[in-house]
Amino acid sequence: MIDITTALRTNGSVRGFTPEPVSDAVVAALLDDARFAPSGGNQQPWRVAVVKDAAVRRQMADHMRPVWQEYMGAQQAGKRAFAFGKSTGDAPIAVPNALIDQIETVPVVLAIAADLRRIAIMDGNQDQRPAIVGGASIYPFCWSILLAAKARGLGGVLTTFLSRAEQGAAPVLGLPDGHALAATIFLGVPTHQNTKLRRNPVETFATVDRFDGPPLAP
Ligand SMILES: Cc1cc2nc3c(=O)[nH]c(=O)nc-3n(C[C@H](O)[C@H](O)[C@H](O)COP(=O)(O)O)c2cc1C
């Protein structure tokens, strides 16, 4: 069993998987662990579609691809893609992406939806910026799936390509009214998992009393 601190510090994204299948029983066990994630008012707004059908997966991929190519176009132009939800207007670039191009071979594909009617969007009244707090009722659940996977020797990655193509993807997945497509999670037995993660040190983001205060010095 991996200890929780090690799991927190080493759960790097996995985008390459062996062909070894992951049973429904294991997927159900991951979700059974993840359901203990916190959510605002304990509303547990998650819904999960375990997407097995190759045709459905291919349609998901077809909706993800233009988003990926737009992302790469912005990257290539040295811009931050989708900042404040906006397109940069740069020409999309066709770069292969194994998750998208070989979606049928990924052992587990989970579409994660959130029931917006059950989420208190506490900062939904800020007209100067996009709301962010609502996501906190669904992404801890997603991260718990990835940690639960790690605990079983599996790995994966949370992706949001499809969220940008939600309108097109909704009928493919039967997304219920009032729900948002929060993430697509890919899982399987890793061909490789990076455990030396590049993250900024605490002194670069933690200050005392105020965000312009002195650095937290342990
Ligand atoms: C909100 C969110 C959205 C993400 N979207 C994507 C995505 O669309 N495609 C993808 O390949 N990875 C996606 N990722 C994974 C990140 O790229 C990854 O967590 C980050 O680059 C750190 O890399 P590492 O896990 O290898 O250290 C996403 C992660 C988060 C938390």
Side-chain angles (χ1 to χ4, degrees):
M1 239 347 198
I2 186 169
D3 73 88
I4 193 164
T5 304
T6 304
L8 287 170
R9 296 176 72 102
T10 62
N11 202 16
S13 302
V14 174
R15 298 185 179 84
F17 306 100
T18 72
E20 197 175 321
V22 178
S23 70
D24 283 356
V26 169
V27 173
L30 301 181
L31 299 176
D32 192 41
D33 288 345
R35 72 192 169 91
F36 292 95
S39 58
N42 199 19
Q43 286 294 298
Q44 305 167 51
W46 38 80
R47 292 285 306 272
V48 179
V50 183
V51 185
K52 300 180 179 194
D53 188 291
V56 176
R57 286 188 178 196
R58 272 196 299 272
Q59 289 181 72
M60 291 170 76
D62 289 344
H63 286 288
M64 291 178 192
R65 194 169 289 107
V67 180
W68 164 246
Q69 294 182 350
E70 186 185 343
Y71 174 83
M72 289 310 292
Q75 288 274 103
Q76 186 85 353
K79 298 183 193 155
R80 190 160 303 282
F82 311 130
F84 291 91
K86 301 236 162 36
S87 291
T88 59
D90 295 293
I93 301 180
V95 176
N97 182 311
L99 287 176
I100 296 174
D101 303 335
Q102 286 132 48
I103 195 167
E104 289 132 275
T105 68
V106 177
V108 180
V109 177
L110 303 178
I112 313 287
D115 184 347
L116 295 174
R117 295 163 301 191
R118 296 211 226 159
I119 295 182
I121 303 177
M122 302 303 285
D123 59 346
N125 59 347
Q126 306 294 312
D127 48 11
Q128 300 302 312
R129 64 163 180 82
I132 185 174
V133 175
S137 281
I138 189 73
Y139 292 110
F141 172 74
C142 295
W143 181 233
S144 292
I145 293 174
L146 290 164
L147 287 172
K150 174 90 170 171
R152 288 171 176 76
L154 303 174
V157 62
L158 180 158
T159 71
T160 47
F161 311 111
L162 202 57
S163 304
R164 193 155 182 91
E166 181 181 292
Q167 273 200 323
V172 175
L173 290 165
L175 184 70
D177 279 350
H179 285 58
L181 207 44
T184 308
I185 296 180
F186 298 86
L187 297 169
V189 176
T191 48
H192 168 75
Q193 181 168 40
N194 179 24
T195 54
K196 289 203 180 335
L197 309 186
R198 289 191 307 128
R199 300 292 189 265
N200 297 325
V202 172
E203 60 271 21
T204 64
F205 60 81
T207 48
V208 177
D209 291 334
R210 294 167 47 96
F211 297 110
D212 57 359
L216 177 72

